[in-house]
Amino acid sequence: EALKSKGILVQIYNYKSNKDLPLKDGKTLKTKKRVPVVFYKVGPCIYLVYEGRIYDPDVKEEHKERLFKEYSPQRVRDNKISPAAIDFLRTSEVGANFDLDPDVSIVNDTPQNIRSKGTVGDSYEECPLCNELFLLSVIQEHASDCTGVSEADQN
């Protein structure tokens, strides 16, 4: 619930049979029936946690809405990440509870709605006009071109 309250989508599956799930880099994760598989969507990034390990699933754009079936299609398509989610992920010990699988690449990219790539320690600021996050180093450039929140984002 803490993750959901921060704007992170959480979807839990308990498959009825063994399942092969596609991972990036052409790999496959073999899951066992009735062992929980948890998918998280943070901005544009999707993560999979299985048996205490974090994986980078290969989720096609057309499958995202079906994967996160407990959420509205609009919410699943929204790739923005809230400042509350960023603060939570930076300050909590959520990630410390997982062993990373050394054979699987883990996504460390910042959200796609941030104009410039940053690193985990970088500072971000929310644009007061459009409510998107930007690195402090590019917020002024963005603000000079910003047209505000679009009608689609307001609904």
Side-chain angles (χ1 to χ4, degrees):
E1 286 304 312
L3 295 176
K4 290 180 181 181
S5 71
K6 305 293 184 195
I8 297 171
L9 305 187
V10 179
Q11 187 72 54
I12 302 171
Y13 286 90
N14 286 299
Y15 296 110
K16 294 178 184 177
S17 60
N18 295 345
K19 191 135 181 106
D20 291 346
L21 300 176
L23 301 175
K24 293 198 176 160
D25 299 330
K27 297 181 181 179
T28 301
L29 173 65
K30 296 184 179 302
T31 64
K32 299 172 192 163
K33 64 181 178 182
R34 297 189 189 105
V35 176
V37 177
V38 184
F39 291 90
Y40 298 92
K41 184 173 185 294
V42 183
C45 301
I46 297 176
Y47 304 93
L48 179 159
V49 176
Y50 177 71
E51 293 188 327
R53 291 181 180 236
I54 301 172
Y55 297 89
D56 190 7
D58 188 10
V59 180
K60 305 293 183 223
E61 192 65 37
E62 61 269 18
H63 297 143
K64 288 180 182 179
E65 290 176 23
R66 191 171 53 203
L67 180 65
F68 291 95
K69 61 186 178 184
E70 292 179 9
Y71 299 89
S72 71
Q74 179 181 356
R75 181 71 184 94
V76 175
R77 287 191 302 265
D78 184 6
N79 285 335
K80 294 178 186 168
I81 183 169
S82 71
I86 288 177
D87 289 341
F88 177 78
L89 293 171
R90 281 189 183 153
T91 59
S92 73
E93 296 184 20
V94 172
N97 294 323
F98 301 109
D99 295 323
L100 299 180
D101 187 326
D103 295 331
V104 178
S105 60
I106 303 301
V107 174
N108 290 317
D109 288 344
T110 57
Q112 291 175 354
N113 64 315
I114 297 172
R115 272 224 180 139
S116 267
K117 285 199 175 210
T119 60
V120 172
D122 287 336
S123 295
Y124 300 93
E125 187 170 321
E126 183 174 324
C127 173
L129 300 172
C130 68
N131 300 323
E132 291 190 30
L133 289 177
F134 293 88
L135 284 167
L136 286 178
S137 61
V138 299
I139 188 77
Q140 286 182 328
E141 176 190 340
H142 162 76
S144 66
D145 297 331
C146 185
T147 58
V149 178
S150 69
E151 262 184 49
D153 289 341
Q154 290 177 352
N155 296 330

